[in-house]
Amino acid sequence: MTKLPKRTIVGVLVAALLIVAAIFFQQQGNGGNGDAFELRRSEFLMSTVVEALVYTEDEALGQEALSAAYRRAAELEAIMDRHQSDSDVAKINAAAGQNPVAVSEETFEVIRQGVEFGQMTGGAFDITVAPVMELWGFGSGENRVPDDEELERALELVDYRKIHLDEERLEVFLEKEGMELDLGGIAKGYIVDQALLTMQEMGIESASFDAGGDIRVLGIKPDGTPWRIGIRDPRDRTNLAAIVELDDQSVVTSGDYERFFMEDGQRYHHILDPDTGIPTRGLTSVTVLGEDAITTDTLSTGLFVMGLESGMELIESLADTEAIFITDDGQVHTSSGLDDQVEIL
Ligand code: ADP
Ligand code: MG
């Protein structure tokens, strides 16, 4: 038997060890996510499909966290939905022009922030837009184009500056009879934040919560990579217009393609200019990236109303907040801080 040189034996041993190590790490790898379980859940809430994803090494904790997040979301929806007659918002609306109504801390906080975003966007974002929403049949009833006189009358009731807030007593009062709050452009964002924070407080470090495109992620993925989120092409549902990378952030898109009706070849969608009461034109979608979902939800709606020029000016003035505007001729415009986080397709 010929004796193998020592170098060869060492070489074979090292190679064998590498193979064993490779097999070991491959088995460990759960889609490259180490020991973490990938848990997914999907429920219908806030008139949309809400999808949550958790990475955790503790499966029982992950399941518990998911349940708690959905419970919290459902509980908040029940107090902020103006169509549920015993909600805080329904009570405020019913007492408009008559008396202030005491509400939960959460409802008060959302309305307080709604007023602040109204100021920030110069009134483009206005949570008192409900009377005009109703005219167009966005909310309850059939979609139809209202006439000028109807619009004029309803617009007299739209003004976020006529919301009175009493911080001490957590009371909300709408100055004029007939005024109505609609938290449709802000509550979803707040609820996404609260759902994710609920999971975080339970010890979850990597998760995402997606309420029909209102998305916030916690941390990064266990394999060390950021979350990658596709932004839909507004005129082709099957296509993506861009991909953004998120690290402990939120992204929300407002578009003219989610809720709309067509009449005489015109598209009428559900984001209204509070000055005219008419669905805005010029943009087909606005995507906002930021630290929390209440900000990105609100600003995506607000910037959509403001349009490309003033919208871009506002977003450039805000720290840690970026945007992608898509115009009705298909052009994509991104704010200056976004370059390394977005891939335009
Ligand atoms: P989605 O509800 O599809 O996520 P948005 O976040 O853009 O879309 O919010 C649109 C909703 O916001 C409308 O359904 C309505 O309830 C409300 N809304 C419409 N126009 C305005 C506006 N100018 N300011 C504030 N809220 C608005
Ligand atoms: Mg929004």
Side-chain angles (χ1 to χ4, degrees):
M1 200 173 91
T2 49
K3 205 171 169 227
L4 288 168
K6 223 184 196 161
R7 269 218 314 253
T8 311
I9 295 172
V10 170
V12 168
L13 282 177
V14 167
L17 199 70
L18 284 176
I19 290 167
V20 170
I23 292 170
F24 177 75
F25 282 115
Q26 200 177 2
Q27 282 174 346
Q28 289 280 300
N30 172 5
N33 283 311
D35 286 330
F37 290 96
E38 183 182 285
L39 309 175
R40 290 174 183 273
R41 209 180 287 183
S42 176
E43 278 182 33
F44 195 80
L45 269 182
M46 303 182 271
S47 313
T48 191
V49 179
V50 179
E51 295 182 38
L53 170 57
V54 167
Y55 288 111
T56 175
E57 289 172 21
D58 182 342
E59 190 177 4
L61 173 73
Q63 298 292 4
E64 244 175 78
L66 282 167
S67 299
Y70 279 105
R71 257 200 318 275
R72 179 84 176 124
E75 167 191 305
L76 291 171
E77 182 189 11
I79 60 174
M80 292 183 199
D81 179 1
R82 72 184 169 101
H83 300 293
Q84 300 191 29
S85 60
D86 56 349
S87 72
D88 282 346
V89 174
K91 287 178 196 156
I92 295 167
N93 291 347
Q98 294 165 32
N99 54 278
V101 172
V103 295
S104 64
E105 253 173 75
E106 291 93 336
T107 304
F108 191 89
E109 174 62 13
V110 171
I111 295 171
R112 192 186 64 72
Q113 291 211 41
V115 171
E116 267 180 22
F117 282 107
Q119 288 159 349
M120 187 192 284
T121 58
F125 185 81
D126 194 323
I127 56 174
T128 64
V129 80
V132 200
M133 289 294 288
E134 286 300 325
L135 277 187
W136 290 89
F138 291 122
S140 39
E142 299 251 307
N143 289 141
R144 67 183 188 90
V145 180
D147 64 43
D148 291 350
E149 204 181 305
E150 287 176 294
L151 278 175
E152 214 169 293
R153 244 181 298 127
L155 282 173
E156 281 169 21
L157 301 168
V158 177
D159 188 349
Y160 69 96
R161 289 164 300 190
K162 297 197 171 78
I163 302 170
H164 298 270
L165 296 175
D166 185 332
E167 302 247 2
E168 298 281 296
R169 311 172 123 199
L170 295 179
E171 283 180 351
V172 183
F173 177 54
L174 305 179
E175 205 174 287
K176 278 187 172 180
E177 197 173 329
M179 274 181 79
E180 269 186 89
L181 296 181
D182 176 355
L183 303 182
I186 186 168
K188 217 191 286 173
Y190 177 79
I191 291 172
V192 168
D193 285 336
Q194 293 303 311
L196 211 70
L197 294 176
T198 299
M199 295 199 276
Q200 188 178 29
E201 277 163 18
M202 292 173 75
I204 300 297
E205 289 171 352
S206 177
S208 77
F209 202 79
D210 174 354
D214 281 32
I215 300 169
R216 180 164 170 186
V217 302
L218 190 61
I220 50 175
K221 298 207 276 182
D223 66 3
T225 62
W227 303 82
R228 287 167 63 81
I229 311 286
I231 308 301
R232 193 172 279 160
D233 177 343
R235 287 295 173 266
D236 180 0
R237 285 192 144 268
T238 59
N239 242 345
L240 293 181
I243 292 175
V244 294
E245 294 193 335
L246 296 190
D247 171 354
D248 216 16
Q249 284 169 304
S250 166
V251 65
V252 174
T253 300
S254 284
D256 68 357
Y257 52 91
E258 287 292 352
R259 282 173 62 202
F260 68 93
F261 65 96
M262 302 291 293
E263 197 171 302
D264 299 329
Q266 280 270 26
R267 177 190 291 260
Y268 297 101
H269 59 80
H270 70 143
I271 301 175
L272 304 176
D273 183 337
D275 275 341
T276 61
I278 293 173
T280 57
R281 300 212 183 283
L283 294 170
T284 53
S285 88
V286 175
T287 298
V288 177
L289 276 85
E291 293 190 331
D292 54 58
I294 195 168
T295 304
T296 55
D297 188 18
T298 313
L299 285 181
S300 66
T301 309
L303 299 181
F304 195 87
V305 174
M306 292 175 84
L308 177 60
E309 225 167 284
S310 5
M312 188 67 91
E313 207 173 298
L314 174 60
I315 206 79
E316 292 290 11
S317 74
L318 301 173
D320 305 317
T321 318
E322 304 295 336
I324 304 167
F325 298 79
I326 305 183
T327 56
D328 55 9
D329 57 0
Q331 293 210 38
V332 181
H333 301 260
T334 58
S335 61
S336 58
L338 203 56
D339 296 350
D340 52 343
Q341 243 188 309
V342 67
E343 187 184 325
I344 307 293
L345 302 172

